[in-house]
Amino acid sequence: MNQLENLYREVIMEHYKHPRNKGLIADEAYIKIRHKNPSCGDDVTIQTLIEGHTIRDCRFEGHGCSICCASASVLTETMIGKNVDEARVLTDQYLRMVSGVSYDTDQDLGEAEVCSGVRQFPARIKCASISWQAFIKTLEGGAKNDE
Ligand code: ZN
């Protein structure tokens, strides 16, 4: 394992132990989507508050493996304050990154790059993806409080 991979692993463990923006808020203005990954026992709910075209808040709740929980925590930090179009691009780019599909590097994924190592472990790609897939659905807004 090289130094960069070591650093990435440390950041993932740090988010796993000290998750950011964890805990849902009882507010109808938030759009909430839950996704599960039965093969690993991951179960994540993402909650997003959009005002105009800006993501004012992004939160998560759930449980699962370290990759799943850390990627949800990183997601919330990445998205708060972004506009919706930018958030869509970043999510698409992130999902390509963890799947090992080539992607546009013009946009800075920031700390979310720590999940890039997942592409070497096909069984874990879903762990790293479900919170971001749930997030993109909250932007679509249609299915409110989808279980
Ligand atoms: Zn998992």
Side-chain angles (χ1 to χ4, degrees), residues 90-137:
L90 284 171
T91 303
D92 181 60
Q93 204 169 305
Y94 172 90
L95 291 171
R96 284 164 177 271
M97 177 186 76
V98 297
S99 311
V101 180
S102 66
Y103 61 96
D104 188 356
T105 50
D106 288 354
Q107 289 275 344
D108 185 10
L109 274 170
E111 203 172 37
E113 302 242 347
V114 298
C115 298
S116 61
V118 167
R119 61 185 166 221
Q120 295 165 47
F121 307 97
R124 311 308 295 279
I125 291 171
K126 197 157 186 199
C127 302
S129 302
I130 59 167
S131 57
W132 291 64
Q133 285 164 341
F135 169 76
I136 200 103
K137 283 201 171 176

Side-chain angles (χ1 to χ4, degrees), residues 37 40 42 65 68 124 127:
N37 172 20
C40 186
D42 301 326
C65 64
C68 171
R124 311 308 295 279
C127 302

Side-chain angles (χ1 to χ4, degrees), residues 21-92:
N21 306 303
K22 193 173 182 193
L24 302 182
I25 288 177
D27 181 341
E28 296 271 299
Y30 281 77
I31 296 162
K32 191 167 75 173
I33 301 281
R34 182 177 185 181
H35 271 198
K36 293 181 191 176
N37 172 20
S39 66
C40 186
D42 301 326
D43 181 345
V44 177
T45 302
I46 302 293
Q47 219 185 12
T48 306
L49 179 67
I50 300 165
E51 278 172 19
H53 286 287
T54 305
I55 294 156
R56 287 280 170 228
D57 198 10
C58 183
R59 312 194 54 83
F60 83 101
E61 186 54 87
H63 54 85
C65 64
S66 55
I67 302 275
C68 171
C69 296
S71 65
S73 175
V74 168
L75 164 81
T76 63
E77 281 203 323
T78 304
M79 295 308 176
I80 293 172
K82 294 278 190 307
N83 79 49
V84 172
D85 294 334
E86 200 181 353
R88 275 184 217 278
V89 171
L90 284 171
T91 303
D92 181 60

